[in-house]
Amino acid sequence: MTTDSEHPPPGGRTPSPTGSQPAPTTHGKGDGTPPASGATATGDSTPTGYGAVFAVREFRPIFAAHVLSVLGSVFAEVSLAVLVFRQTGSAVLTALIFALGFLPYALSGILLSGISDRYPTRRVLVACDLLCAAFVAVMAVPATPLALLFVLRVSVSMITPLFTGTRAASLADILHGDVFVLGRSLVRIVGQSSQIIGYGIGGLVLVWLSPRAALLVTIGTFLSSALLLRFGTRDRPARVTGTGAMMRDSIGSAGRLFRNARIRSLMLMWWVPPMFCVVAEGVAAPYADAAGAGSAGFGILLAAMPAGTVVGEVLAGTLLTPSARERIAIPLAAVSMLPFVCFLVHPSLPLAIVLLLITGVTTAYALGIDKWFVHDVPEDMRGRAMSLLGAGIMTLQGVGMTVGGAVAEWVPPYAVIAGAGILGTLSVVPVLRSVRRTQPMGAAASPA
């Protein structure tokens, strides 16, 4: 369930977990202009619907660029894995090329997040796309040695958290209130859907193209994304100005965010469940093998949680009102890992798939905490906070998958999944209590 994870309405306040109601909001473009055609004013009594997000003109190129970036990343991962395995025949090095997509996230989120707020958003996003295209272009050169291939993979992975954090913060500049929440939901839906169909498409592409030729597809998606963002979005000024050392500013900002109890609690609410949920994906291969299901069963197990996540997000975003999504956020997060506990009885493959689907559906709590997070993070730190948030999610998922796989060397896979459910539930409960105890701050000032 790899996930990625923005300006409260003008003059309004986002409701807190206790259920206070906001004033009705008019959704504009984030610059004081009237709502875009089709983006009508909505209150908290009726579902907004995803159509209101696409009605905002500036969101459409951002969404298209996101789809292209996801496809490009999938093609790159599949192509690099096949390329490394064909050159080395090493399963360890092939796994490492995947792991390098996770490992640099923490470093990048801490050291580079300041770029998100100190430079204009459009400039940062376009520069990230162009740098990634350049790095992949070097990967595609037949003479590129294997060692440089790994260095370039790390370089792309260092840029990714900066890009996703900057884009997440930029959504709050163009989408307001519940439309922002649904916009973030659409971004996650694309990310989850890529896990269901993306790798299959990447595998089919490699039937006709060599791995290095397939990397040319990735270059094209990054360049197309850069063009969409350059000519489809407004040029907004940087959120802050500064002349100090960038890395020092990024590290200091991370410290200030963590010292704030409210923001820290919300970050942990984002981080803890995925870290334990991803354990099931890490041991899906041995579980399917033990069930005699082979590669087909393995693929279905991997797709189960992302499919459930898409279903949960679509249902919550379409059928529930904004206040209802917030009311269910904490209860859903509390029970999100309980289906894993049912693995104690060593369920059959069909039942295991159902349990993973249910777990995916419960992650609809994300729509509730999205609103709280953007409401409580100061506007001048939004880019840094979003970069750090995404970096933490990906890093801890990498840790969870690695630890789960290591434990599965000695413990049956079903027991590993059940243990992750128990430990995860025990870990998330105090986090949720902290979220309830801390009071919403509003995005008025930076934390001390």
Side-chain angles (χ1 to χ4, degrees):
M1 64 176 290
T2 307
T3 57
D4 182 283
S5 185
E6 273 179 270
H7 208 128
R13 285 185 59 84
T14 305
S16 72
T18 57
S20 58
Q21 303 295 318
T25 303
T26 299
H27 304 295
K29 295 181 181 178
D31 56 2
T33 59
S37 176
T40 56
T42 59
D44 203 41
S45 58
T46 57
T48 304
Y50 289 104
V53 187
F54 287 109
V56 180
R57 183 202 61 79
E58 200 172 354
F59 176 78
R60 295 195 289 269
I62 292 176
F63 181 79
H66 174 60
V67 173
L68 288 170
S69 294
V70 169
L71 288 175
S73 298
V74 169
F75 285 166
E77 288 182 0
V78 174
S79 301
L80 288 172
V82 173
L83 179 63
V84 169
F85 187 73
R86 286 181 181 177
Q87 286 193 7
T88 67
S90 169
V92 173
L93 290 178
T94 304
L96 180 61
I97 205 72
F98 273 108
L100 290 177
F102 286 95
L103 298 179
Y105 262 78
L107 193 62
S108 176
I110 293 174
L111 298 181
L112 303 181
S113 62
I115 296 174
S116 299
D117 293 317
R118 195 180 287 193
Y119 294 95
T121 296
R122 188 174 72 180
R123 189 185 308 174
V124 173
L125 293 176
V126 172
C128 286
D129 269 335
L130 293 178
L131 281 172
C132 287
F135 291 147
V136 176
V138 178
M139 293 180 190
V141 175
T144 302
L146 191 64
L148 181 57
L149 209 62
F150 281 89
V151 172
L152 293 169
R153 173 65 169 142
V154 171
S155 300
V156 172
S157 299
M158 287 288 288
I159 293 172
T160 302
L162 175 61
F163 180 88
T164 55
T166 303
R167 184 192 58 213
S170 73
L171 288 181
D173 296 329
I174 65 171
L175 305 175
H176 290 156
D178 192 50
V179 179
F180 160 77
V181 173
L182 294 179
R184 284 272 288 162
S185 175
L186 282 168
V187 169
R188 286 193 298 271
I189 287 172
V190 170
Q192 295 299 319
S193 299
S194 73
Q195 295 183 69
I196 304 171
I197 62 175
Y199 290 110
I201 295 175
L204 288 175
V205 168
L206 289 173
V207 172
W208 295 285
L209 299 176
S210 69
R212 291 194 189 272
L215 288 174
L216 298 178
V217 177
T218 297
I219 297 170
T221 60
F222 282 135
L223 292 177
S224 298
S225 173
L227 287 172
L228 283 167
L229 294 170
R230 172 61 182 81
F231 296 105
T233 61
R234 290 185 55 212
D235 186 18
R236 293 180 172 85
R239 293 182 183 85
V240 296
T241 56
T243 57
M246 180 67 66
M247 289 187 180
R248 184 181 304 168
D249 173 61
S250 299
I251 294 171
S253 297
R256 291 196 298 275
L257 289 168
F258 273 111
R259 284 195 296 271
N260 183 279
R262 174 67 176 176
I263 297 174
R264 182 175 64 248
S265 298
L266 292 174
M267 280 193 170
L268 289 172
M269 189 174 172
W270 268 113
W271 290 348
V272 172
M275 178 176 65
F276 289 97
C277 286
V278 79
V279 170
E281 295 177 346
V283 300
Y287 192 96
D289 182 68
S295 58
F298 171 54
I300 295 173
L301 279 175
L302 280 183
M305 265 197 294
T309 299
V310 171
V311 170
E313 293 248 2
V314 170
L315 290 177
T318 304
L319 301 179
L320 299 182
T321 64
S323 60
R325 292 189 216 117
E326 294 181 76
R327 284 195 299 270
I328 67 172
I330 287 180
L332 272 184
V335 303
S336 61
M337 289 167 283
L338 289 182
F340 279 14
V341 180
C342 298
F343 277 80
L344 282 171
V345 300
H346 196 180
S348 63
L349 187 67
L351 180 55
I353 292 169
V354 171
L355 292 171
L356 295 181
L357 277 168
I358 294 172
T359 298
V361 170
T362 63
T363 60
Y365 65 78
L367 279 79
I369 60 175
D370 249 339
K371 183 176 284 189
W372 302 339
F373 192 74
V374 73
H375 178 252
D376 290 320
V377 169
E379 183 178 354
D380 62 352
M381 297 186 72
R382 188 176 294 139
R384 284 165 283 183
M386 289 295 180
S387 298
L388 187 62
L389 179 68
I393 291 173
M394 296 300 290
T395 301
L396 290 176
Q397 284 187 115
V399 171
M401 188 176 290
T402 302
V403 173
V407 174
E409 291 288 331
W410 295 278
V411 180
Y414 70 88
V416 175
I417 297 173
I422 295 170
L423 290 175
T425 301
L426 292 176
S427 299
V428 80
V429 167
V431 172
L432 299 178
R433 287 176 178 168
S434 179
V435 171
R436 282 194 177 277
R437 285 197 306 267
T438 54
Q439 294 298 314
M441 306 183 304
S446 299

